Each structure stands twice: as C-alpha cells, then as structure tokens.
Amino acid sequence: MSYKFHQFQVVGRGLPTESDEHPKIYRMKLWATNEVRAKSKFWYFLRKLKKVKKSNGQMLAINEIFEKNPTTIKNYGIWLRYQSRTGYHNMYKEYRDTTLNGGIEQMYTEMASRHRVRHHCIQVIKTATIPAKLCKRESTKQFHNSKIKFPLVFKKVRPPTRKLKTTYKASRPNLFV
Amino acid sequence: MPFKRYVEVGRIALVNYGKDYGKLVVIVDVIDQNRALVDAPDMVRGQMNFKRLTLTDIKIDIKRVPNKKTLVAALEAADVKNKWESSSWGRKLIVQKKRASLNDFDRFKIMLAKIKKAGVVRQELAKLKKETTA
C-alpha cells in the first residue's frame, strides 16, 4: 500500500551566535509527501512559534517514521486546524485504519470532499491512537464489534485486469451477490 | 432473497483483482465499511478492499485477529483446501487454469479425444434411433 503522505521527524535549531552559543533544538513530527516538503513545513511552523527562519537556522536531522504495527487495526483521532472560506476552525476526526499514514491520508481526502479544504490549508495539531472505549464518533464505534457480520449488498462485476476492460458487453451484469 | 454469504471473521474469500489474484484469503477483521484485514498462509496480513474480494460459502471458526500459527491450524482443521477444490466453483477454476496452460501437443491430444468421444456418442444415438424406428 503506497501512501501519498509520509510522516517525518524533523529536527532543527537556529544558528549559534555570539550571544547564544547553544540555541535550543526543536523537533517536529509532520506529514508531507517528500523530505523537501517536510523541511519546508518545519520552517513554516517554527517561524510561527519562535523567532527563527530558514536563513538563520540549520536542519539537524530528518528521518521518516514508519508504522510499527501495520498489521493491526487502530482507531486514530486527529485534531486539526483548517482554513475555510470564512476563517480558521478546529476539528477532531476519527478514522479506523492499520497505519497512521493511512488515517492521515483518509483525513486529507475527507476534508477535501466534505469541506472543500485543500491540503495546504490543513494543519495537523495532534494525532493519537484511541482505545475503543474512548472513541467519540458513531461511524468508528459501529465497527467495534467482535462478532461483526454484514452482507455485501451490491456486487460490481469487474474484469480482473485493466487490459480485459471493454466498452461494450454482450449481456447485462448480475449485481446480486 | 435473503443473503447467505456474510462478511465476518473467518469467512474465506477469493481475490478477484490485483496482485494476489486467484488466492483464497481469510477475513481476519473488518477495518471499516469498505476494507477488511485479510490473511493467508503465504502472505503478510494486510488490508484489502471488499471490491477486490468475492465471498465464498466456506467459513472457518477463528477468533478476531488470530496469530499466524492459529490461523494455519484452523485452516488445516477445517480442511479448506479440499473443500474448495471439490466444490463446483473450485473445480471450474482448476479446469480453467489447466486449459490456459496447455501446449500445442496437449491441444492435439484433446482434439483426438473429443473426436473419439463424439464418435462413441453418435454410435449410441444411431443404435437408439434404430430401436425406436424398428
């Protein structure tokens, strides 16, 4: 499963000067499509928090963070701040996924579809893995059932490879499971 | 028409699209409305969209998210492989695979066998015709 958004840990600080020999080192975890964008995002956020820019700062480390257990299902809670047409708002969303990158990607696509918010207008404040008891949204809580059982109601007939796709078919498909 | 095949923990499904096309996998857990966590003895446990799966009639008895050993043991205990290969769906898939892997000599042999079979059928039909007219 290839994800568009990767999680990076970016570490940087302001350049040492005569007055400040050992400036404080800051570390951020953020999501970006590649390393270059991650470094840029790091300076964007750091500029808003401290009096330091890319021109008088240095990048110390950037590492990609990979999912520890991509084979278990987790409930992710994501706190975000986004810019709508009329102002900034905070939001809390929940997603069920195997990896945090998958949950973040779901968040970006859902924000784009439900609220028409493009990804550069979204800032992820915090993410957390939520245990099942503390989930707030009904749409994630409905899958917290160890004896879950439902039928697949609508079966779409699909050729097994894109090559076998044809515009016209001889007969109408049977959509019942 | 009520539904007979449900998405549930332990349902065997056939992959009908993508890299694992043709494999039998077990639904080990449900992620959300469109995706399930699937597992098979020869693949890493991963997520799969229901659009890529066709449910079968076979269901094994496992708890939610078993570890690999328990899963393989449960598959052996339920004898999924034999049940699948003796079902009409499974047999049809085997025949399809065989037909796709024939070489020219095999096709020649099949042609001769078909002609022979048609000849025997026609002889029997001629006998029955003679009996009814006589």
Side-chain angles (χ1 to χ4, degrees):
Chain A
M1 267 258 40
S2 76
Y3 297 107
K4 245 177 40 150
F5 289 96
H6 300 263
Q7 190 182 12
F8 294 96
Q9 170 190 264
V10 191
V11 184
R13 68 169 188 174
L15 286 168
T17 62
E18 300 94 35
S19 54
D20 191 2
E21 288 288 311
H22 299 288
K24 240 198 180 132
I25 305 180
Y26 297 100
R27 177 189 91 118
M28 263 196 99
K29 285 205 251 183
L30 35 84
W31 275 269
T33 45
N34 54 35
E35 276 190 15
V36 175
R37 285 220 172 128
K39 285 194 261 186
S40 168
K41 230 29 194 171
F42 171 76
W43 289 121
Y44 166 78
F45 283 120
L46 209 56
R47 263 204 322 266
K48 293 192 176 297
L49 300 167
K50 299 285 159 199
K51 199 83 190 288
V52 63
K53 297 158 93 157
K54 183 173 173 206
S55 53
N56 52 19
Q58 56 186 183
M59 191 67 61
L60 295 171
I62 172 163
N63 310 93
E64 183 162 356
I65 300 177
F66 298 98
E67 180 73 29
K68 193 140 173 236
N69 288 322
T71 53
T72 54
I73 302 175
K74 297 168 275 281
N75 309 296
Y76 293 107
I78 301 176
W79 285 260
L80 52 135
R81 173 174 186 254
Y82 74 98
Q83 182 180 21
S84 70
R85 292 182 190 141
T86 42
Y88 283 88
H89 308 275
N90 292 333
M91 225 185 222
Y92 165 72
K93 285 190 158 292
E94 277 180 9
Y95 297 101
R96 244 172 100 75
D97 204 314
T98 50
T99 64
L100 185 48
N101 289 350
I104 292 281
E105 188 158 341
Q106 269 187 298
M107 181 273 290
Y108 276 115
T109 52
E110 190 179 350
M111 290 301 288
S113 67
R114 288 226 152 98
H115 305 283
R116 302 300 195 247
V117 176
R118 276 90 201 173
H119 98 272
H120 51 261
C121 296
I122 294 175
Q123 300 172 5
V124 175
I125 301 171
K126 176 173 140 181
T127 63
T129 314
I130 316 268
K133 257 195 290 277
L134 304 174
C135 282
K136 280 176 38 171
R137 303 288 186 243
E138 277 306 316
S139 56
T140 49
K141 290 204 317 208
Q142 69 182 336
F143 292 100
H144 293 156
N145 175 7
S146 65
K147 296 194 189 57
I148 194 163
K149 177 172 159 175
F150 55 89
L152 290 179
V153 172
F154 175 75
K155 175 184 86 161
K156 182 172 169 196
V157 194
R158 216 166 36 152
T161 54
R162 293 287 306 273
K163 214 167 181 195
L164 298 167
K165 187 169 91 144
T166 58
T167 328
Y168 300 102
K169 300 270 178 211
S171 50
R172 289 184 141 221
N174 173 23
L175 302 168
F176 182 68
V177 201
Chain B
M1 309 166 300
F3 294 102
K4 291 206 199 68
R5 297 175 184 165
Y6 292 86
V7 169
E8 47 196 333
V9 177
R11 173 70 54 182
I12 306 279
L14 184 70
V15 180
N16 60 24
Y17 190 92
K19 198 171 63 110
D20 303 308
Y21 176 67
K23 270 209 211 143
L24 280 181
V25 291
V26 189
I27 293 179
V28 150
D29 201 355
V30 170
I31 300 176
D32 62 20
Q33 196 187 11
N34 302 321
R35 293 175 297 164
L37 199 59
V38 296
D39 207 354
D42 58 344
M43 70 180 238
V44 181
R45 174 176 303 166
Q47 65 172 4
M48 222 179 239
N49 196 315
F50 288 127
K51 290 188 180 176
R52 291 197 175 192
L53 298 173
T54 334
L55 305 177
T56 64
D57 289 322
I58 310 174
K59 178 178 176 315
I60 63 176
D61 195 14
I62 50 169
K63 289 217 177 17
R64 210 174 63 90
V65 194
N67 49 20
K68 203 68 169 219
K69 265 203 319 222
T70 342
L71 180 74
V72 174
L75 282 172
E76 293 289 312
D79 205 15
V80 168
K81 200 156 185 296
N82 286 334
K83 269 206 215 138
W84 176 246
E85 282 168 11
S86 58
S87 72
S88 59
W89 187 355
R91 276 182 283 139
K92 273 189 268 187
L93 285 186
I94 293 175
V95 169
Q96 274 177 9
K97 251 192 235 159
K98 191 114 216 311
R99 287 216 177 120
S101 69
L102 294 173
N103 63 27
D104 189 54
F105 186 41
D106 291 325
R107 271 175 267 145
F108 177 71
K109 284 191 274 184
I110 284 182
M111 178 187 74
L112 293 183
K114 272 195 190 169
I115 291 172
K116 200 167 194 183
K117 174 177 137 195
V120 172
V121 167
R122 229 175 275 164
Q123 270 190 331
E124 288 300 317
L125 184 63
K127 263 192 239 162
L128 286 172
K129 268 204 213 153
K130 250 198 342 189
E131 280 169 29
T132 52
T133 52

